[in-house]
mmCIF file of all heavy atoms in Angstrom:
data_model
loop_
_atom_site.group_PDB
_atom_site.id
_atom_site.type_symbol
_atom_site.label_atom_id
_atom_site.label_comp_id
_atom_site.label_asym_id
_atom_site.label_seq_id
_atom_site.Cartn_x
_atom_site.Cartn_y
_atom_site.Cartn_z
ATOM 1 N N VAL A 13 116.367 -24.956 51.559
ATOM 2 C CA VAL A 13 117.272 -25.930 52.184
ATOM 3 C C VAL A 13 117.709 -25.441 53.561
ATOM 4 O O VAL A 13 117.760 -26.216 54.529
ATOM 5 C CB VAL A 13 118.483 -26.183 51.276
ATOM 6 C CG1 VAL A 13 119.544 -27.010 52.008
ATOM 7 C CG2 VAL A 13 118.050 -26.895 50.000
ATOM 8 N N GLU A 14 118.023 -24.168 53.675
ATOM 9 C CA GLU A 14 118.399 -23.594 54.963
ATOM 10 C C GLU A 14 117.281 -23.775 55.983
ATOM 11 O O GLU A 14 117.527 -24.104 57.158
ATOM 12 C CB GLU A 14 118.718 -22.111 54.788
ATOM 13 C CG GLU A 14 119.185 -21.423 56.067
ATOM 14 C CD GLU A 14 119.480 -19.947 55.862
ATOM 15 O OE1 GLU A 14 119.222 -19.423 54.763
ATOM 16 O OE2 GLU A 14 119.959 -19.303 56.819
ATOM 17 N N PHE A 15 116.048 -23.572 55.560
ATOM 18 C CA PHE A 15 114.884 -23.741 56.442
ATOM 19 C C PHE A 15 114.797 -25.196 56.913
ATOM 20 O O PHE A 15 114.633 -25.454 58.122
ATOM 21 C CB PHE A 15 113.615 -23.355 55.668
ATOM 22 C CG PHE A 15 112.361 -23.333 56.481
ATOM 23 C CD1 PHE A 15 111.764 -22.128 56.832
ATOM 24 C CD2 PHE A 15 111.744 -24.508 56.893
ATOM 25 C CE1 PHE A 15 110.601 -22.093 57.575
ATOM 26 C CE2 PHE A 15 110.577 -24.484 57.627
ATOM 27 C CZ PHE A 15 110.001 -23.271 57.965
ATOM 28 N N VAL A 16 114.900 -26.148 55.994
ATOM 29 C CA VAL A 16 114.815 -27.568 56.352
ATOM 30 C C VAL A 16 115.902 -27.933 57.352
ATOM 31 O O VAL A 16 115.643 -28.608 58.358
ATOM 32 C CB VAL A 16 114.906 -28.449 55.093
ATOM 33 C CG1 VAL A 16 115.044 -29.928 55.486
ATOM 34 C CG2 VAL A 16 113.677 -28.262 54.218
ATOM 35 N N ASN A 17 117.108 -27.484 57.098
ATOM 36 C CA ASN A 17 118.212 -27.803 58.008
ATOM 37 C C ASN A 17 117.990 -27.201 59.389
ATOM 38 O O ASN A 17 118.417 -27.777 60.408
ATOM 39 C CB ASN A 17 119.534 -27.302 57.421
ATOM 40 C CG ASN A 17 120.007 -28.151 56.250
ATOM 41 O OD1 ASN A 17 119.711 -29.346 56.180
ATOM 42 N ND2 ASN A 17 120.734 -27.543 55.325
ATOM 43 N N TYR A 18 117.321 -26.071 59.453
ATOM 44 C CA TYR A 18 117.061 -25.411 60.732
ATOM 45 C C TYR A 18 116.033 -26.177 61.570
ATOM 46 O O TYR A 18 116.175 -26.279 62.796
ATOM 47 C CB TYR A 18 116.573 -23.986 60.469
ATOM 48 C CG TYR A 18 116.443 -23.131 61.699
ATOM 49 C CD1 TYR A 18 117.506 -22.334 62.122
ATOM 50 C CD2 TYR A 18 115.260 -23.091 62.436
ATOM 51 C CE1 TYR A 18 117.399 -21.531 63.255
ATOM 52 C CE2 TYR A 18 115.138 -22.301 63.568
ATOM 53 C CZ TYR A 18 116.212 -21.522 63.970
ATOM 54 O OH TYR A 18 116.089 -20.736 65.098
ATOM 55 N N VAL A 19 114.998 -26.719 60.925
ATOM 56 C CA VAL A 19 113.885 -27.303 61.683
ATOM 57 C C VAL A 19 113.941 -28.821 61.816
ATOM 58 O O VAL A 19 113.288 -29.385 62.706
ATOM 59 C CB VAL A 19 112.522 -26.925 61.049
ATOM 60 C CG1 VAL A 19 112.383 -25.418 60.918
ATOM 61 C CG2 VAL A 19 112.305 -27.609 59.692
ATOM 62 N N LYS A 20 114.690 -29.508 60.977
ATOM 63 C CA LYS A 20 114.505 -30.953 60.828
ATOM 64 C C LYS A 20 114.820 -31.773 62.071
ATOM 65 O O LYS A 20 114.287 -32.885 62.235
ATOM 66 C CB LYS A 20 115.333 -31.463 59.647
ATOM 67 C CG LYS A 20 116.843 -31.350 59.824
ATOM 68 C CD LYS A 20 117.564 -31.812 58.552
ATOM 69 C CE LYS A 20 119.063 -31.741 58.706
ATOM 70 N NZ LYS A 20 119.753 -32.146 57.442
ATOM 71 N N ASN A 21 115.643 -31.265 62.964
ATOM 72 C CA ASN A 21 116.009 -32.028 64.160
ATOM 73 C C ASN A 21 115.179 -31.670 65.380
ATOM 74 O O ASN A 21 115.433 -32.187 66.475
ATOM 75 C CB ASN A 21 117.499 -31.829 64.463
ATOM 76 C CG ASN A 21 118.392 -32.398 63.371
ATOM 77 O OD1 ASN A 21 118.141 -33.496 62.868
ATOM 78 N ND2 ASN A 21 119.434 -31.664 63.007
ATOM 79 N N ASP A 22 114.182 -30.800 65.207
ATOM 80 C CA ASP A 22 113.352 -30.378 66.333
ATOM 81 C C ASP A 22 111.876 -30.647 66.089
ATOM 82 O O ASP A 22 111.006 -29.932 66.601
ATOM 83 C CB ASP A 22 113.561 -28.882 66.606
ATOM 84 C CG ASP A 22 114.959 -28.571 67.102
ATOM 85 O OD1 ASP A 22 115.407 -29.245 68.043
ATOM 86 O OD2 ASP A 22 115.611 -27.675 66.536
ATOM 87 N N LEU A 23 111.595 -31.689 65.340
ATOM 88 C CA LEU A 23 110.216 -32.013 64.975
ATOM 89 C C LEU A 23 109.666 -33.121 65.872
ATOM 90 O O LEU A 23 110.430 -33.936 66.402
ATOM 91 C CB LEU A 23 110.164 -32.451 63.508
ATOM 92 C CG LEU A 23 110.676 -31.419 62.504
ATOM 93 C CD1 LEU A 23 110.656 -31.993 61.093
ATOM 94 C CD2 LEU A 23 109.860 -30.139 62.571
ATOM 95 N N PRO A 24 108.352 -33.178 66.052
ATOM 96 C CA PRO A 24 107.765 -34.224 66.893
ATOM 97 C C PRO A 24 107.897 -35.606 66.267
ATOM 98 O O PRO A 24 108.139 -35.739 65.059
ATOM 99 C CB PRO A 24 106.296 -33.803 66.995
ATOM 100 C CG PRO A 24 106.061 -32.927 65.814
ATOM 101 C CD PRO A 24 107.354 -32.241 65.515
ATOM 102 N N ASP A 25 107.748 -36.617 67.105
ATOM 103 C CA ASP A 25 107.746 -38.003 66.621
ATOM 104 C C ASP A 25 106.612 -38.169 65.614
ATOM 105 O O ASP A 25 105.471 -37.792 65.897
ATOM 106 C CB ASP A 25 107.539 -38.947 67.810
ATOM 107 C CG ASP A 25 107.733 -40.408 67.430
ATOM 108 O OD1 ASP A 25 107.038 -40.871 66.500
ATOM 109 O OD2 ASP A 25 108.552 -41.069 68.075
ATOM 110 N N PRO A 26 106.896 -38.723 64.427
ATOM 111 C CA PRO A 26 105.848 -38.833 63.406
ATOM 112 C C PRO A 26 104.689 -39.740 63.794
ATOM 113 O O PRO A 26 103.625 -39.676 63.184
ATOM 114 C CB PRO A 26 106.598 -39.379 62.183
ATOM 115 C CG PRO A 26 107.845 -39.997 62.727
ATOM 116 C CD PRO A 26 108.206 -39.207 63.943
ATOM 117 N N SER A 27 104.875 -40.579 64.808
ATOM 118 C CA SER A 27 103.757 -41.401 65.277
ATOM 119 C C SER A 27 102.769 -40.584 66.096
ATOM 120 O O SER A 27 101.626 -41.002 66.314
ATOM 121 C CB SER A 27 104.273 -42.574 66.121
ATOM 122 O OG SER A 27 104.886 -42.108 67.319
ATOM 123 N N GLU A 28 103.210 -39.396 66.537
ATOM 124 C CA GLU A 28 102.356 -38.533 67.333
ATOM 125 C C GLU A 28 101.851 -37.326 66.553
ATOM 126 O O GLU A 28 100.744 -36.848 66.786
ATOM 127 C CB GLU A 28 103.128 -38.048 68.566
ATOM 128 C CG GLU A 28 103.562 -39.177 69.487
ATOM 129 C CD GLU A 28 104.375 -38.694 70.660
ATOM 130 O OE1 GLU A 28 104.645 -37.473 70.742
ATOM 131 O OE2 GLU A 28 104.746 -39.531 71.507
ATOM 132 N N ARG A 29 102.657 -36.809 65.636
ATOM 133 C CA ARG A 29 102.255 -35.675 64.801
ATOM 134 C C ARG A 29 103.090 -35.676 63.532
ATOM 135 O O ARG A 29 104.315 -35.696 63.594
ATOM 136 C CB ARG A 29 102.413 -34.354 65.555
ATOM 137 C CG ARG A 29 102.023 -33.137 64.723
ATOM 138 C CD ARG A 29 101.911 -31.877 65.565
ATOM 139 N NE ARG A 29 100.775 -31.931 66.488
ATOM 140 C CZ ARG A 29 100.348 -30.887 67.202
ATOM 141 N NH1 ARG A 29 100.966 -29.721 67.119
ATOM 142 N NH2 ARG A 29 99.310 -31.007 68.012
ATOM 143 N N GLU A 30 102.432 -35.661 62.396
ATOM 144 C CA GLU A 30 103.116 -35.680 61.105
ATOM 145 C C GLU A 30 103.406 -34.242 60.659
ATOM 146 O O GLU A 30 102.541 -33.367 60.749
ATOM 147 C CB GLU A 30 102.234 -36.394 60.076
ATOM 148 C CG GLU A 30 102.926 -36.714 58.770
ATOM 149 C CD GLU A 30 102.054 -37.594 57.879
ATOM 150 O OE1 GLU A 30 101.154 -38.284 58.410
ATOM 151 O OE2 GLU A 30 102.284 -37.578 56.657
ATOM 152 N N THR A 31 104.621 -34.021 60.180
ATOM 153 C CA THR A 31 105.047 -32.696 59.753
ATOM 154 C C THR A 31 105.337 -32.699 58.252
ATOM 155 O O THR A 31 106.120 -33.516 57.764
ATOM 156 C CB THR A 31 106.313 -32.243 60.503
ATOM 157 O OG1 THR A 31 106.100 -32.371 61.912
ATOM 158 C CG2 THR A 31 106.644 -30.806 60.172
ATOM 159 N N ILE A 32 104.704 -31.752 57.534
ATOM 160 C CA ILE A 32 104.820 -31.687 56.078
ATOM 161 C C ILE A 32 105.131 -30.252 55.662
ATOM 162 O O ILE A 32 104.596 -29.303 56.236
ATOM 163 C CB ILE A 32 103.507 -32.136 55.406
ATOM 164 C CG1 ILE A 32 103.154 -33.577 55.800
ATOM 165 C CG2 ILE A 32 103.575 -32.006 53.889
ATOM 166 C CD1 ILE A 32 101.757 -34.002 55.369
ATOM 167 N N LEU A 33 105.996 -30.100 54.661
ATOM 168 C CA LEU A 33 106.241 -28.798 54.051
ATOM 169 C C LEU A 33 105.990 -28.903 52.554
ATOM 170 O O LEU A 33 106.580 -29.749 51.873
ATOM 171 C CB LEU A 33 107.677 -28.336 54.290
ATOM 172 C CG LEU A 33 107.983 -27.602 55.583
ATOM 173 C CD1 LEU A 33 109.471 -27.310 55.679
ATOM 174 C CD2 LEU A 33 107.177 -26.308 55.686
ATOM 175 N N ALA A 34 105.119 -28.043 52.031
ATOM 176 C CA ALA A 34 104.862 -27.965 50.595
ATOM 177 C C ALA A 34 105.563 -26.732 50.052
ATOM 178 O O ALA A 34 105.403 -25.627 50.585
ATOM 179 C CB ALA A 34 103.364 -27.891 50.323
ATOM 180 N N ALA A 35 106.329 -26.924 48.987
ATOM 181 C CA ALA A 35 107.177 -25.847 48.474
ATOM 182 C C ALA A 35 107.094 -25.791 46.958
ATOM 183 O O ALA A 35 106.625 -26.728 46.303
ATOM 184 C CB ALA A 35 108.625 -26.090 48.917
ATOM 185 N N PRO A 36 107.579 -24.690 46.357
ATOM 186 C CA PRO A 36 107.628 -24.610 44.895
ATOM 187 C C PRO A 36 108.442 -25.757 44.299
ATOM 188 O O PRO A 36 109.406 -26.239 44.905
ATOM 189 C CB PRO A 36 108.317 -23.255 44.647
ATOM 190 C CG PRO A 36 107.986 -22.449 45.859
ATOM 191 C CD PRO A 36 107.994 -23.429 46.994
ATOM 192 N N THR A 37 108.064 -26.182 43.114
ATOM 193 C CA THR A 37 108.632 -27.373 42.486
ATOM 194 C C THR A 37 110.151 -27.325 42.396
ATOM 195 O O THR A 37 110.831 -28.334 42.617
ATOM 196 C CB THR A 37 108.033 -27.558 41.082
ATOM 197 O OG1 THR A 37 106.608 -27.621 41.195
ATOM 198 C CG2 THR A 37 108.536 -28.831 40.433
ATOM 199 N N LEU A 38 110.719 -26.172 42.083
ATOM 200 C CA LEU A 38 112.158 -26.057 41.885
ATOM 201 C C LEU A 38 112.950 -26.450 43.126
ATOM 202 O O LEU A 38 114.093 -26.911 43.020
ATOM 203 C CB LEU A 38 112.506 -24.625 41.465
ATOM 204 C CG LEU A 38 113.929 -24.366 40.950
ATOM 205 C CD1 LEU A 38 114.194 -25.195 39.692
ATOM 206 C CD2 LEU A 38 114.120 -22.883 40.654
ATOM 207 N N SER A 39 112.368 -26.298 44.297
ATOM 208 C CA SER A 39 113.076 -26.573 45.553
ATOM 209 C C SER A 39 112.899 -28.004 46.050
ATOM 210 O O SER A 39 113.609 -28.419 46.982
ATOM 211 C CB SER A 39 112.590 -25.609 46.646
ATOM 212 O OG SER A 39 112.867 -24.274 46.313
ATOM 213 N N LEU A 40 111.997 -28.764 45.481
ATOM 214 C CA LEU A 40 111.572 -30.015 46.105
ATOM 215 C C LEU A 40 112.688 -31.049 46.239
ATOM 216 O O LEU A 40 112.859 -31.651 47.300
ATOM 217 C CB LEU A 40 110.388 -30.611 45.332
ATOM 218 C CG LEU A 40 109.097 -29.790 45.378
ATOM 219 C CD1 LEU A 40 108.008 -30.461 44.529
ATOM 220 C CD2 LEU A 40 108.614 -29.609 46.807
ATOM 221 N N THR A 41 113.427 -31.314 45.181
ATOM 222 C CA THR A 41 114.447 -32.364 45.271
ATOM 223 C C THR A 41 115.541 -32.000 46.273
ATOM 224 O O THR A 41 116.025 -32.873 47.014
ATOM 225 C CB THR A 41 115.066 -32.648 43.892
ATOM 226 O OG1 THR A 41 115.553 -31.427 43.320
ATOM 227 C CG2 THR A 41 114.039 -33.260 42.957
ATOM 228 N N SER A 42 115.930 -30.739 46.321
ATOM 229 C CA SER A 42 116.943 -30.316 47.293
ATOM 230 C C SER A 42 116.409 -30.445 48.719
ATOM 231 O O SER A 42 117.151 -30.824 49.641
ATOM 232 C CB SER A 42 117.360 -28.867 47.023
ATOM 233 O OG SER A 42 117.973 -28.746 45.761
ATOM 234 N N MET A 43 115.135 -30.161 48.909
ATOM 235 C CA MET A 43 114.532 -30.299 50.237
ATOM 236 C C MET A 43 114.436 -31.758 50.651
ATOM 237 O O MET A 43 114.657 -32.101 51.818
ATOM 238 C CB MET A 43 113.153 -29.643 50.245
ATOM 239 C CG MET A 43 113.197 -28.131 50.106
ATOM 240 S SD MET A 43 111.533 -27.400 49.970
ATOM 241 C CE MET A 43 110.895 -27.677 51.626
ATOM 242 N N VAL A 44 114.095 -32.630 49.707
ATOM 243 C CA VAL A 44 114.037 -34.073 50.003
ATOM 244 C C VAL A 44 115.405 -34.557 50.485
ATOM 245 O O VAL A 44 115.511 -35.318 51.461
ATOM 246 C CB VAL A 44 113.573 -34.864 48.769
ATOM 247 C CG1 VAL A 44 113.807 -36.363 48.964
ATOM 248 C CG2 VAL A 44 112.105 -34.595 48.491
ATOM 249 N N GLN A 45 116.462 -34.152 49.818
ATOM 250 C CA GLN A 45 117.806 -34.547 50.215
ATOM 251 C C GLN A 45 118.148 -34.018 51.598
ATOM 252 O O GLN A 45 118.719 -34.734 52.436
ATOM 253 C CB GLN A 45 118.814 -34.056 49.183
ATOM 254 C CG GLN A 45 118.683 -34.737 47.822
ATOM 255 C CD GLN A 45 119.519 -34.074 46.741
ATOM 256 O OE1 GLN A 45 120.252 -33.116 47.003
ATOM 257 N NE2 GLN A 45 119.402 -34.572 45.524
ATOM 258 N N ALA A 46 117.789 -32.756 51.860
ATOM 259 C CA ALA A 46 118.100 -32.157 53.159
ATOM 260 C C ALA A 46 117.310 -32.820 54.291
ATOM 261 O O ALA A 46 117.794 -32.905 55.425
ATOM 262 C CB ALA A 46 117.816 -30.659 53.124
ATOM 263 N N ALA A 47 116.106 -33.292 53.990
ATOM 264 C CA ALA A 47 115.229 -33.875 55.012
ATOM 265 C C ALA A 47 115.409 -35.388 55.169
ATOM 266 O O ALA A 47 114.713 -36.004 55.978
ATOM 267 C CB ALA A 47 113.772 -33.569 54.672
ATOM 268 N N LYS A 48 116.321 -35.975 54.441
ATOM 269 C CA LYS A 48 116.505 -37.430 54.472
ATOM 270 C C LYS A 48 116.753 -37.929 55.899
ATOM 271 O O LYS A 48 117.496 -37.321 56.668
ATOM 272 C CB LYS A 48 117.683 -37.822 53.576
ATOM 273 C CG LYS A 48 117.872 -39.325 53.431
ATOM 274 C CD LYS A 48 119.022 -39.628 52.494
ATOM 275 C CE LYS A 48 119.213 -41.143 52.345
ATOM 276 N NZ LYS A 48 120.347 -41.465 51.439
ATOM 277 N N ASP A 49 116.073 -39.034 56.233
ATOM 278 C CA ASP A 49 116.207 -39.683 57.543
ATOM 279 C C ASP A 49 115.729 -38.800 58.700
ATOM 280 O O ASP A 49 116.192 -38.942 59.840
ATOM 281 C CB ASP A 49 117.657 -40.124 57.796
ATOM 282 C CG ASP A 49 118.142 -41.130 56.767
ATOM 283 O OD1 ASP A 49 117.344 -41.967 56.324
ATOM 284 O OD2 ASP A 49 119.336 -41.068 56.396
ATOM 285 N N THR A 50 114.817 -37.880 58.418
ATOM 286 C CA THR A 50 114.197 -37.064 59.464
ATOM 287 C C THR A 50 112.687 -37.236 59.378
ATOM 288 O O THR A 50 112.173 -37.777 58.393
ATOM 289 C CB THR A 50 114.559 -35.574 59.309
ATOM 290 O OG1 THR A 50 113.790 -35.007 58.231
ATOM 291 C CG2 THR A 50 116.044 -35.391 59.050
ATOM 292 N N PRO A 51 111.937 -36.763 60.373
ATOM 293 C CA PRO A 51 110.470 -36.909 60.314
ATOM 294 C C PRO A 51 109.797 -36.038 59.260
ATOM 295 O O PRO A 51 108.619 -36.242 58.953
ATOM 296 C CB PRO A 51 110.028 -36.470 61.714
ATOM 297 C CG PRO A 51 111.233 -36.542 62.563
ATOM 298 C CD PRO A 51 112.388 -36.248 61.667
ATOM 299 N N LEU A 52 110.519 -35.069 58.704
ATOM 300 C CA LEU A 52 109.905 -34.104 57.796
ATOM 301 C C LEU A 52 109.592 -34.723 56.434
ATOM 302 O O LEU A 52 110.455 -35.336 55.799
ATOM 303 C CB LEU A 52 110.842 -32.909 57.593
ATOM 304 C CG LEU A 52 110.330 -31.775 56.704
ATOM 305 C CD1 LEU A 52 109.085 -31.131 57.301
ATOM 306 C CD2 LEU A 52 111.432 -30.732 56.505
ATOM 307 N N LYS A 53 108.335 -34.552 55.993
ATOM 308 C CA LYS A 53 107.925 -35.003 54.666
ATOM 309 C C LYS A 53 107.747 -33.784 53.760
ATOM 310 O O LYS A 53 107.226 -32.753 54.188
ATOM 311 C CB LYS A 53 106.628 -35.803 54.740
ATOM 312 C CG LYS A 53 106.785 -37.131 55.474
ATOM 313 C CD LYS A 53 105.493 -37.930 55.467
ATOM 314 C CE LYS A 53 105.685 -39.285 56.141
ATOM 315 N NZ LYS A 53 104.420 -40.073 56.167
ATOM 316 N N ILE A 54 108.182 -33.935 52.510
ATOM 317 C CA ILE A 54 108.123 -32.841 51.561
ATOM 318 C C ILE A 54 106.973 -33.077 50.586
ATOM 319 O O ILE A 54 106.784 -34.184 50.086
ATOM 320 C CB ILE A 54 109.453 -32.708 50.786
ATOM 321 C CG1 ILE A 54 110.622 -32.592 51.769
ATOM 322 C CG2 ILE A 54 109.408 -31.509 49.852
ATOM 323 C CD1 ILE A 54 110.534 -31.431 52.735
ATOM 324 N N ALA A 55 106.213 -32.020 50.330
ATOM 325 C CA ALA A 55 105.027 -32.102 49.476
ATOM 326 C C ALA A 55 105.150 -31.137 48.307
ATOM 327 O O ALA A 55 105.809 -30.097 48.408
ATOM 328 C CB ALA A 55 103.765 -31.797 50.270
ATOM 329 N N ALA A 56 104.491 -31.493 47.211
ATOM 330 C CA ALA A 56 104.353 -30.569 46.085
ATOM 331 C C ALA A 56 103.092 -29.741 46.275
ATOM 332 O O ALA A 56 102.139 -30.178 46.936
ATOM 333 C CB ALA A 56 104.280 -31.349 44.777
ATOM 334 N N GLU A 57 103.072 -28.563 45.674
ATOM 335 C CA GLU A 57 101.911 -27.677 45.786
ATOM 336 C C GLU A 57 100.889 -27.922 44.692
ATOM 337 O O GLU A 57 99.780 -27.372 44.744
ATOM 338 C CB GLU A 57 102.368 -26.217 45.733
ATOM 339 C CG GLU A 57 103.256 -25.824 46.907
ATOM 340 C CD GLU A 57 103.717 -24.388 46.821
ATOM 341 O OE1 GLU A 57 103.244 -23.657 45.926
ATOM 342 O OE2 GLU A 57 104.544 -23.984 47.656
ATOM 343 N N ASN A 58 101.242 -28.761 43.723
ATOM 344 C CA ASN A 58 100.341 -29.023 42.598
ATOM 345 C C ASN A 58 100.977 -30.099 41.726
ATOM 346 O O ASN A 58 102.174 -30.380 41.841
ATOM 347 C CB ASN A 58 100.120 -27.744 41.783
ATOM 348 C CG ASN A 58 99.047 -27.896 40.712
ATOM 349 O OD1 ASN A 58 98.066 -28.604 40.908
ATOM 350 N ND2 ASN A 58 99.226 -27.245 39.586
#
């Protein structure tokens, strides 16, 4: 969550470059909440 909060406001426009972070399952829902309304998309690793 700390990582998402650090990077989420400095990402490129998603129409020009898509940004994705894949993380362990336990962290995913908290990361989705932290990344809400930002260009960052959260992915599962499996």
Side-chain angles (χ1 to χ4, degrees):
V13 171
E14 183 181 6
F15 186 107
V16 171
N17 287 331
Y18 188 92
V19 305
K20 66 183 181 182
N21 295 317
D22 293 310
L23 301 177
D25 189 304
S27 65
E28 298 177 358
R29 179 168 292 190
E30 191 172 337
T31 307
I32 300 170
L33 274 176
T37 304
L38 191 61
S39 298
L40 294 178
T41 54
S42 297
M43 292 175 69
V44 167
Q45 293 170 3
K48 186 178 180 181
D49 299 324
T50 76
L52 182 63
K53 293 183 177 179
I54 306 302
E57 296 179 7
N58 188 35

